[in-house]
């Protein structure tokens, strides 16, 4: 039977309720359980009617452009420690967000009330805010053109919906992996988890687009702590599984149970590792580490709003500014360095079919042959670079970098997948190690610090290997390297080929005020950087 709007509204909203755990899971292990009542998206014709209500209301009130997003955002977590389940949560919410452009200024309104009256009220609020913002307007907003997609759908590359996997099965996997790690002598603590995200997004605009998305992402945080017999030291091994825009099949491919002893052994080995001597070394950075350096020192500083100072309160602006002095001029790295922005790599956390402005993203080179070539843009921002695109004889268009982290937040520029493309030679980690006489190999991402211009930084890692005469001769600890962004990237002299390409990433890239959280992926290959300053983080003054 077709569901009416009234019946649908009665079933939506957020409510707290306890999760009944299966008898297979010991009751004493269940703590910190949080849930929300399942919610449902309206039928497609209801969604379309509600979106048309928003757009028609906006136009009747004088908006020259409007877009509306109706979405369901579903998050589920299970976290464990040793042989206990310490936290579970299931958070499920639905609503609508409306953006209106009136006299060159933006306004935004949002509502959980998915009725014609509720959506119209949110639209009236968006228009009223746009009119109020007129007093502070500098230049009127002008949107770069985009194609309309009147009946588009897209689904991310998952094979098994992780939300169909029973909590018993998820918890059992984690507890078995924890048990295997605890069998390794010296391991004292193990924390593990599963984090699932499913987003059903619907978009429509006054330009004629009507788009639906289904996006699934998964993550498996896993941290092992080893403690010295005399309790004089402890070392951890974590961040062992990169998040991905895939489904339950990806979690199974990571073989948490089978790999847990290896990761545990690395944590134990770090206890007896030699503390690094400060100095300058050639660094061989594994993709599991290098993705974060790319994120902080390339992806963030090439966000156009940062470069122009519109993003400053959250993590600063950018040294890659102003664009007219950077584009086609600033040498970021060697000639073989190419940094690509895209939203199309299969399994990427930033991979989508259409962004939150209805733009079908393209693939573009941010760094081309070592030179700054472009920035990440939205429809509004693309026009700020029209002079550059005209000079390059390219159309002025958004790269599809608009995103909001929920229906209730306004979309703005967020990074796509930003990746270091492979080199022409089919070499990998072992080949670069073999070509290095004195250096340090680093795997896994760790702590970092970077300044407000994304220029000066310091990065740690997870596992560090001493390299002598082209061979790994042992493990090191207390390693961090310091860098100035352009100097660091220009010191890169070797990169891996296509077979060594790997995508790392994170679920929690923050930006904006109020802050929003975005999932990101960065692909890269093993790379060598010459004569980099290494410090010892374990020394005390």
């Amino acid at each position: 039977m077709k569901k009416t709007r009234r019946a649908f509204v009665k079933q939506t909203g957020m409510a707290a309720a306890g999760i009944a755990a299966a008898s297979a899971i010991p009751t004493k292990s269940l703590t910190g359980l949080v849930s929300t009542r399942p919610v449902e998206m309206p039928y497609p014709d209801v969604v379309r009617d509600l979106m048309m209500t928003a757009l028609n209301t906006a136009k009747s009130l004088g908006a020259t452009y409007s877009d509306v997003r109706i979405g369901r955002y579903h998050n589920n977590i299970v976290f464990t420690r040793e042989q206990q389940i310490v936290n579970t949560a299931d958070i499920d919410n639905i609503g609508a967000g409306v953006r209106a452009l009136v006299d060159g200024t933006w306004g935004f309104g949002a509502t959980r009330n998915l009725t014609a009256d509720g959506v119209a009220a949110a639209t009236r609020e968006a228009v009223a805010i746009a009119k109020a913002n007129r007093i502070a307007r500098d230049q009127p907003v002008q949107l770069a053109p985009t194609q309309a997609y009147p009946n588009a759908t897209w689904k991310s590359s998952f094979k098994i919906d992780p939300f169909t996997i029973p909590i018993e099965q998820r918890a059992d996997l984690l507890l078995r992996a924890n048990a295997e790690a605890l069998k390794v002598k010296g391991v004292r603590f193990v924390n593990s988890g599963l984090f699932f995200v499913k987003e059903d997004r619907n978009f429509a605009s006054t330009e004629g687009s009507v788009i639906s998305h289904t996006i699934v992402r998964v993550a498996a945080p896993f941290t092992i702590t080893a403690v010295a017999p005399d309790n004089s030291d402890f070392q951890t091994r974590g961040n062992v599984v990169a998040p991905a825009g895939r489904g339950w099949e990806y979690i199974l491919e990571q073989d948490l149970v089978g790999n847990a002893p290896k990761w545990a052994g690395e944590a134990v080995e770090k206890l007896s590792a030699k503390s690094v001597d400060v100095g300058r070394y050639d660094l061989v950075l594994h993709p599991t580490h290098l993705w974060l350096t790319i994120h902080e020192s390339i992806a963030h500083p090439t966000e156009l709003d940062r470069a122009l100072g519109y993003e400053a309160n959250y993590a600063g602006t950018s040294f890659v500014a102003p664009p007219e002095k950077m584009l086609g001029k600033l040498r970021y790295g060697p000639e073989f360095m190419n940094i690509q922005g895209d939203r199309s790599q299969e399994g990427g956390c930033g991979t989508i079919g259409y962004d939150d402005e209805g733009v079908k993203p393209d693939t573009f080179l941010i760094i081309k042959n070592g030179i700054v070539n472009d920035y990440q843009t939205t429809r509004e921002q693309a026009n700020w670079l029209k002079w550059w695109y005209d000079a390059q004889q390219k159309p002025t268009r958004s790269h599809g970098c608009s995103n909001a982290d929920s229906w209730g937040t306004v979309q703005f520029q967020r990074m796509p997948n930003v990746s270091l493309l492979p080199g022409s030679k089919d070499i990998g980690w072992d080949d670069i190690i073999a070509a290095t006489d004195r250096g340090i190999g680093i795997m896994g991402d760790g702590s970092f610090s970077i300044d407000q211009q994304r220029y000066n930084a310091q990065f740690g890692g997870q596992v560090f290997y001493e390299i002598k005469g082209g061979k790994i001769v042992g493990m090191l600890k207390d390693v961090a390297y310091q860098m100035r962004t352009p100097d660091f990237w220009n010191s890169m002299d070797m990169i891996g080929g296509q077979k060594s390409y790997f995508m790392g990433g994170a679920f929690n890239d923050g930006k904006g005020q109020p802050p929003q959280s975005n999932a990101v992926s960065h692909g890269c290959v093993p790379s060598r950087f010459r004569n980099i300053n290494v410090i010892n983080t374990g020394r005390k003054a």
Side-chain angles (χ1 to χ4, degrees), residues 180-194:
E180 291 302 310
L182 288 166
K183 290 178 182 178
V184 177
K185 186 178 181 180
V187 170
R188 192 82 60 86
F189 308 106
V190 183
N191 295 276
S192 63
L194 291 170

Side-chain angles (χ1 to χ4, degrees), residues 310-440:
Y310 292 103
E311 171 70 15
N313 288 334
Y314 200 117
T317 55
S318 169
F319 79 94
V320 191
E324 57 267 24
K325 293 185 179 181
M326 300 290 132
L327 287 167
K329 298 175 182 178
L330 177 64
R331 176 159 290 283
Y332 223 97
E335 190 171 351
F336 59 80
M337 177 183 176
N338 291 287
I339 298 291
Q340 175 180 284
D342 72 82
R343 288 187 175 273
S344 59
Q345 292 186 68
E346 184 173 351
C349 287
T351 297
I352 56 173
Y354 305 84
D355 79 349
D356 279 347
E357 292 183 318
V359 174
K360 190 175 181 63
D362 63 347
T363 297
F364 61 106
L365 286 178
I366 298 172
I367 309 294
K368 182 179 180 180
N369 298 329
I371 305 295
V372 174
N373 181 68
D374 213 335
Y375 291 84
Q376 305 158 50
T377 59
T378 64
R379 290 186 67 187
E380 178 181 354
Q381 295 169 352
N383 282 317
W384 302 343
L385 298 180
K386 187 178 186 303
W387 61 272
W388 171 249
Y389 299 134
D390 287 348
Q392 301 299 304
Q393 297 183 330
K394 293 182 178 181
T396 299
R397 61 153 290 171
S398 166
H399 290 310
C401 299
S402 180
N403 185 76
D405 66 359
S406 83
W407 54 265
T409 53
V410 66
Q411 58 267 58
F412 69 126
Q413 191 277 310
R414 300 309 308 269
M415 70 176 64
N417 305 311
V418 176
S419 305
L420 171 65
L421 297 183
S424 58
K425 294 182 179 180
D426 189 18
I427 61 174
W429 168 262
D430 291 337
D431 301 295
I432 300 177
I433 295 289
T436 302
D437 184 55
R438 178 179 179 271
I440 299 173

